[in-house]
Amino acid sequence: MMEIIHQSHIDRELESLIERIYPPRVCIDNDSCEDCTVVKVDSANKDGILLEMVQVLTDLDLVISKSFISSDGGWFMDVFHVTDSFGNKLIDESLMLHIQKALCASRRGEISREKQANGWKEQENVDVWGKKTAVELTGTDGPGLLSEISAVLVELSCNVTSAIAWTHNDRAACIIHVEDASTSEPISDPIRLAHVERHLECVLEAHGEKRSVRLNTLSAGRTHTERRLHQLMYADRDYQRCRACEGESGGEHKKGCDGTHVWIGRCEERGYWVVNVRSRDRPKLLFDTLCVLTDMNYVVFHAAISSIAPMAHQEYFVRHKASSTLLRESERQKLTLCLIAAVERRVSHGLRIDIKTGNRVGLMWDVTRVFRENGLWISRVEIGTRGDKAEGSFYVTDSSGEEVNPKIVELVRREAGGSIVAVHKSPCRMSKASSSNSPREQKRGIEAAHGFSIGSMIWSQLERLSGGFGSIRSS
């Protein structure tokens, strides 16, 4: 019997020709559903198009509560049910026009020209800080790790302009953008870069033998930071065996396991593998799952994603680019563990501390030093700068397993200055609040949990285009 082999490569010129003949169609509909905006996309199919489109939506902090995907053959059809991060429909005309153009690759040049006309710098991605030196690190997680890294950077006259760090299964990965503290320019001298790299390797080596440090200078928009974090943790093999998640009898859930479950079956008739993922719902869940499927060379042909708070269910019909079958049980097991890891990496526990203060050299060191001196463990970080202001979120836990003393907030405020809001982090921030609450209570709860995000930076810049945009519904 002849096996179905998927051949994903299409010549770029042919791909461009198909798009010109059959341009993408994007419809943004606020009438079909009472509680969400429906974004419909019809387009010629191409490798990676699904992840690109989900990335566009999640980079703007939009919550995808439901999606239907079909891309078998040469055409891609998708429906996204989205809201903003507060659970509201999309009503900003400039935002809807931006989404429409961003989802159409052939029209992205128009966005660039409009940005330039309004004084924007080009930014095709989540990177909104311009050209910077990127520091990528992976290593063994431990209390004080980020504080020690920050101290080394300050000592070497490197100013942190943004940082995102995740921890999972005793592993840590972070991407830190730095600049020369005296000139505010990227660090491009190879000798100095090598010097910084050696010092950071010493810090990571003190926490564990397995580590990786890489420094390079990137232009804005070159690398999607969160996807890169997934790649770093995947390469670091942060996925570990969890017997309970794999359904083994007598299996105990390991520490930090949030009950994510993955089942992989076979659709013999069409040669698909059927992948089911059930987990707690949260923002960017679809993006995280697609990152690992894409990076492991699986192509999604059909999918259905839905969430009924507090749980989400994802079903994918996939094939591997190189083969129509998972040849060995070990490969199926690896895919299972990698999907679980992709879901868990962004699930943070403990006390969330949001800061908003004046930007200065050594700010991250001052804040992380407070956590280290008080025996706290940083599980996740997202911080960035906007002009002379710094905004970010730190998730901290007590290494002994006890609840974090709320007095730590005042200590952080003294070191950082500015304003601070502490939020007790639930297991996941839901895309929809619990049905036991009224809509008004749900909205208040979402707003209380809503802190700094890179998407909010992009939203603030979109407001500068509002005056020049007209009404848009479909194209």
Side-chain angles (χ1 to χ4, degrees):
M1 175 177 161
M2 183 180 295
E3 288 193 353
I4 302 172
I5 304 295
H6 171 65
Q7 179 57 262
S8 62
H9 176 73
I10 301 177
D11 184 86
R12 294 297 300 175
E13 291 185 6
L14 178 58
E15 200 173 72
S16 176
L17 175 62
I18 294 173
E19 186 172 307
R20 290 195 299 271
I21 297 174
Y22 303 105
R25 180 179 181 274
V26 179
C27 176
I28 300 178
D29 176 15
N30 266 324
D31 299 324
S32 298
C33 292
E34 182 180 349
D35 57 353
C36 67
T37 298
V38 178
V39 180
K40 303 175 184 178
V41 184
D42 296 322
S43 171
N45 196 15
K46 67 174 183 178
D47 192 25
I49 188 173
L50 177 57
L51 179 57
E52 288 178 14
M53 292 185 174
V54 171
Q55 182 176 298
V56 167
L57 299 174
T58 55
D59 280 352
L60 290 168
D61 270 359
L62 302 181
V63 177
I64 302 172
S65 59
K66 189 180 294 184
S67 182
F68 304 99
I69 298 156
S70 181
S71 62
D72 205 346
W75 202 253
F76 173 88
M77 293 177 287
D78 201 357
V79 178
F80 300 102
H81 290 216
V82 303
T83 63
D84 64 19
S85 56
F86 300 112
N88 300 318
K89 285 186 175 185
L90 311 185
I91 58 174
D92 189 318
E93 299 289 345
S94 64
L95 173 64
M96 289 190 284
L97 182 59
H98 176 84
I99 292 171
Q100 186 185 53
K101 291 184 176 179
L103 291 176
C104 300
S106 61
R107 305 174 91 187
R108 286 174 191 160
E110 297 177 31
I111 299 178
S112 301
R113 290 192 293 273
E114 285 163 354
K115 288 178 179 179
Q116 293 168 4
N118 286 271
W120 283 26
K121 291 183 178 179
E122 177 64 17
Q123 56 179 51
E124 299 173 355
N125 210 314
V126 72
D127 182 0
V128 295
W129 297 284
K131 189 175 183 180
K132 297 296 178 185
T133 301
V135 183
E136 299 179 350
L137 307 101
T138 59
T140 303
D141 188 24
L145 175 61
L146 191 58
S147 177
E148 293 173 32
I149 291 171
S150 303
V152 167
L153 293 174
V154 170
E155 183 180 346
L156 298 177
S157 299
C158 299
N159 181 38
V160 175
T161 60
S162 70
I164 299 183
W166 293 348
T167 61
H168 179 244
N169 282 348
D170 299 324
R171 306 301 299 169
C174 62
I175 297 178
I176 304 174
H177 292 111
V178 298
E179 63 186 12
D180 189 294
S182 59
T183 65
S184 298
E185 295 292 329
I187 302 170
S188 55
D189 180 10
I191 296 177
R192 185 178 178 188
L193 289 174
H195 183 61
V196 174
E197 186 173 315
R198 283 196 300 271
H199 279 72
L200 291 174
E201 283 182 341
C202 290
V203 171
L204 294 175
E205 187 176 9
H207 286 259
E209 293 184 0
K210 187 180 177 183
R211 79 273 182 193
S212 172
V213 180
R214 178 187 175 196
L215 282 79
N216 54 8
T217 302
L218 300 173
S219 298
R222 188 73 59 83
T223 302
H224 190 278
T225 308
E226 293 176 347
R227 183 175 182 192
R228 183 61 184 150
L229 275 173
H230 276 297
Q231 293 172 336
L232 289 174
M233 299 204 83
Y234 171 71
D236 194 44
R237 301 178 66 86
D238 72 315
Y239 49 90
Q240 291 181 358
R241 187 174 178 82
C242 178
R243 294 175 63 203
C245 284
E246 294 180 59
E248 294 185 9
S249 58
E252 296 294 332
H253 283 278
K254 68 196 297 184
K255 184 178 179 181
C257 172
D258 68 344
T260 303
H261 297 275
V262 176
W263 298 269
I264 300 177
R266 180 73 172 149
C267 178
E268 296 289 349
E269 183 180 352
R270 298 299 303 274
Y272 296 131
W273 282 100
V274 185
V275 179
N276 282 275
V277 183
R278 184 177 183 273
S279 67
R280 282 188 172 272
D281 190 22
R282 60 167 176 78
K284 300 192 177 183
L285 178 62
L286 176 57
F287 171 80
D288 293 338
T289 308
L290 289 175
C291 277
V292 72
L293 287 173
T294 301
D295 291 333
M296 293 183 72
N297 292 317
Y298 288 94
V299 179
V300 176
F301 287 85
H302 304 281
I305 290 87
S306 63
S307 61
I308 302 177
M311 303 304 292
H313 180 247
Q314 306 173 70
E315 184 175 48
Y316 300 93
F317 292 79
V318 304
R319 294 190 194 126
H320 196 277
K321 288 183 179 181
S323 172
S324 65
T325 61
L326 292 175
L327 299 178
R328 296 184 297 273
E329 178 61 29
S330 61
E331 294 177 1
R332 191 194 308 210
Q333 187 178 87
K334 180 180 178 181
L335 176 57
T336 299
L337 295 180
C338 287
L339 285 168
I340 293 171
V343 171
E344 290 182 346
R345 286 169 191 150
R346 205 190 290 265
V347 176
S348 302
H349 306 278
L351 185 72
R352 167 176 160 175
I353 300 178
D354 298 334
I355 69 170
K356 185 174 183 179
T357 186
N359 184 31
R360 56 181 168 80
V361 176
L363 174 63
M364 193 165 79
W365 180 35
D366 291 336
V367 175
T368 56
R369 178 167 45 82
V370 172
F371 299 141
R372 184 192 65 198
E373 291 173 351
N374 287 272
L376 299 182
W377 206 299
I378 301 174
S379 62
R380 181 179 157 201
V381 175
E382 184 174 337
I383 188 168
T385 57
R386 231 188 290 191
D388 61 349
K389 297 294 182 181
E391 295 182 47
S393 298
F394 294 84
Y395 296 81
V396 294
T397 61
D398 191 297
S399 57
S400 64
E402 301 294 327
E403 287 191 8
V404 176
N405 189 336
K407 292 182 179 179
I408 193 68
V409 177
E410 177 60 24
L411 296 176
V412 173
R413 190 194 64 77
R414 290 176 186 174
E415 288 293 335
S419 60
I420 289 183
V421 177
V423 180
H424 284 283
K425 184 74 167 53
S426 60
C428 291
R429 188 178 73 178
M430 310 302 178
S431 63
K432 293 184 178 180
S434 171
S435 58
S436 62
N437 296 333
S438 68
R440 183 173 296 180
E441 290 172 333
Q442 293 174 15
K443 186 173 180 179
R444 279 202 299 266
I446 297 173
E447 290 174 346
H450 182 65
F452 165 81
S453 70
I454 297 172
S456 64
M457 287 186 171
I458 303 176
W459 267 72
S460 68
Q461 297 206 44
L462 279 171
E463 292 174 357
R464 299 180 59 181
L465 292 178
S466 298
F469 284 165
S471 177
I472 189 73
R473 282 296 179 273
S474 63
S475 173

